[in-house]
Amino acid sequence: MLTFRRLIIAATALTVLSGCATQNPYDNQGQAQNSSGMSKTAKYGGLGALAGAVAGAAIDHNNRGKGALIGAAVAGAASAGYGYYADKQEAALRASMANTGVEVQRQGDNIKLVMPGNITFATDSSAIASSFYSPLNNLAGSLKQYNQNMIEIVGYTDSTGGRQHNMDLSQQRAQSVATYLTSQGVDAAHLSVRGAGPDSPIASNADVNGRAQNRRVEVNLKPIPGQQYQQQQ
């Protein structure tokens, strides 16, 4: 009979194999891989499986080896499911936001879109600029296709003017984006808005270009707690 230690090794091997076996359709684009060449799908699935192995062994005291293998399989599949979903969503967003001025960032489980002030809002305004409609339309289309996210919209301002005015203005900017996205069919139940005013600048407020970068909107896409993610076709 295999010892518990040998079964944990087997569970770890299952982790690696299950990650490698999940084909990422965007491997050739380089968008959804880390520096080692492993897709985020494989990485999340592998880490989930290893954690599941430990948890499964702890729960099944009578047959720790069996519990480890079951825990690895279940947790690995769930983690890889979200990783695969996020990989595809990230690649689709990068394609739809190409040449729009919107930056797409991947931060672990989350995807962030940074929309700078030179395409979003004029100084001291929460009215959507004409140059902003095309990126927002692209975003709305993507969010309707990939609709299994919590969507946090955060508005920012530059440092010009009083703090309370900027806090109110940033909230209004975030709300303007949310209102437009829902008008285009994005599910309002998954949306939240927040105004951060001049906090967390990404450039210097000492010049016009820096203030334009700070006068931005960020859209944060996060997994829905408890959501079972299926492979998006």
Side-chain angles (χ1 to χ4, degrees), residues 32-51:
Q33 294 191 356
N34 59 23
S35 59
S36 67
M38 179 184 291
S39 72
K40 294 182 177 69
T41 304
K43 179 174 70 175
Y44 297 152
L47 292 176
L50 186 56

Side-chain angles (χ1 to χ4, degrees), residues 143 150-153 178-179 181-182 186-193:
L143 292 178
M150 297 303 297
I151 307 165
E152 180 191 40
I153 302 172
T179 299
L181 290 176
T182 55
V186 176
D187 187 356
H190 293 170
L191 280 170
S192 65
V193 299

Side-chain angles (χ1 to χ4, degrees), residues 12 15-22 24 26-27 30-47 83 87 90 106:
T12 305
T15 293
V16 176
L17 291 174
S18 64
C20 293
T22 304
N24 185 339
Y26 296 101
D27 282 349
Q31 307 288 8
Q33 294 191 356
N34 59 23
S35 59
S36 67
M38 179 184 291
S39 72
K40 294 182 177 69
T41 304
K43 179 174 70 175
Y44 297 152
L47 292 176
D87 284 352
E90 177 191 4
R106 181 74 174 269

Side-chain angles (χ1 to χ4, degrees), residues 100-210:
T100 66
V102 175
E103 181 181 359
V104 180
Q105 301 175 357
R106 181 74 174 269
Q107 300 176 339
D109 285 353
N110 304 329
I111 299 172
K112 174 184 287 189
L113 294 93
V114 181
M115 303 174 165
N118 63 331
I119 64 168
T120 55
F121 302 100
T123 301
D124 202 29
S125 174
S126 61
I128 293 173
S130 58
S131 58
F132 198 19
Y133 283 108
S134 180
L136 284 181
N137 288 335
N138 292 347
L139 177 59
S142 181
L143 292 178
K144 286 188 290 184
Q145 179 183 5
Y146 293 88
N147 58 2
Q148 301 180 58
N149 295 102
M150 297 303 297
I151 307 165
E152 180 191 40
I153 302 172
V154 187
Y156 294 89
T157 67
D158 58 35
S159 62
T160 305
R163 177 172 177 81
Q164 188 57 55
H165 174 74
N166 283 330
M167 294 300 292
D168 293 341
L169 179 60
S170 64
Q171 179 76 21
Q172 292 163 9
R173 286 174 170 169
Q175 188 60 58
S176 292
V177 172
T179 299
Y180 186 77
L181 290 176
T182 55
S183 75
Q184 300 303 302
V186 176
D187 187 356
H190 293 170
L191 280 170
S192 65
V193 299
R194 178 167 63 90
D199 297 343
S200 303
I202 59 175
S204 171
N205 279 301
D207 58 73
V208 173
N209 290 333

